[in-house]
Each structure stands twice: as structure tokens, then as C-alpha cells.
Amino acid sequence: GLDELKEMLDKTTKECSENMGRNTINSDEASQNSEEHHDNDLLEDIQRDVSEISQMVEQNVMLEDNHQTIISLTYETFQSLGEEQQMRHADVLRAIQERRRTR
């Protein structure tokens, strides 16, 4: 009777330690999976940021193009003015720049 009990106890202890080993492996895998999941989330965030940035860059390029167009149209308009008007415009621009500098 006592030997049987001892045998059962040994067997149960062995099974328990095997199960604990398996549990440790499972929990390691789980934490690895959660790390990978976290990495994937970070990657998604980065990709979203990158696409937002590239959209902003495209918008800036468009704005820059528009800006260039405006500048050349302004210049053409300026060129088509008479000399007297050009001088007046130049004075106004200088006054504006001066005001900006003193700010």
C-alpha cells in the first residue's frame, strides 16, 4: 500500500514538472507572440506615418509649383507695367520687407 502511494506520488510529481515545463514553453511563446504583435503594431504605425508624410510632401510639391506659377505670373504682370508703376511697386515691396525685418 505504502509503496503504491509513493509510486503514485512520484508519477504525479513527474507529470506536474513536465506540465510546468510545457507551461513555461507556452508562456515563452505567448510573450514572444505578444512582442511580435507589438512590433507589427509599431510597423503599422510607421507605415501610416510614412504615407502621411509622403502625402504632405506631395502637397508641398504642388504648393511649391503653384508658388512658382504665381511668382512667374507676378513677374510677367510686373514686366507689363509702365516704369512709373514698377517703381511704385518696388517702393511698396521695400517698405513691406523693411517692416518684416523690424518685427
Side-chain angles (χ1 to χ4, degrees):
L2 202 60
D3 285 342
E4 266 177 62
L5 269 177
K6 194 177 175 323
E7 226 173 272
M8 275 171 59
L9 188 64
D10 286 347
K11 195 174 158 200
T12 311
T13 305
K14 191 172 170 234
E15 279 175 12
C16 275
S17 70
E18 280 172 10
N19 283 342
M20 276 173 66
R22 265 199 298 274
N23 284 345
T24 305
I25 290 171
N26 286 344
S27 98
D28 285 350
E29 278 177 18
S31 72
Q32 198 177 342
N33 286 344
S34 103
E35 277 174 27
E36 282 172 16
H37 190 74
H38 183 66
D39 288 349
N40 286 343
D41 285 350
L42 285 177
L43 274 177
E44 277 174 27
D45 286 350
I46 290 171
Q47 284 168 334
R48 196 170 34 251
D49 287 351
V50 165
S51 89
E52 277 177 24
I53 288 170
S54 64
Q55 279 177 343
M56 285 158 74
V57 166
E58 276 173 37
Q59 286 173 343
N60 280 344
V61 168
M62 278 167 43
L63 284 173
E64 192 63 40
D65 289 348
N66 291 346
H67 198 67
Q68 285 304 323
T69 308
I70 291 168
I71 287 173
S72 36
L73 284 174
T74 308
Y75 186 70
E76 284 168 32
T77 310
F78 186 73
Q79 291 298 75
S80 67
L81 295 174
E83 204 174 309
E84 196 182 311
Q85 282 178 300
Q86 283 186 4
M87 298 298 269
R88 227 190 350 245
H89 275 266
D91 289 341
V92 170
L93 285 174
R94 264 196 294 279
I96 289 171
Q97 286 174 334
E98 203 50 49
R99 257 208 313 274
R100 281 193 182 149
R101 247 182 264 133
T102 56
R103 245 187 234 160

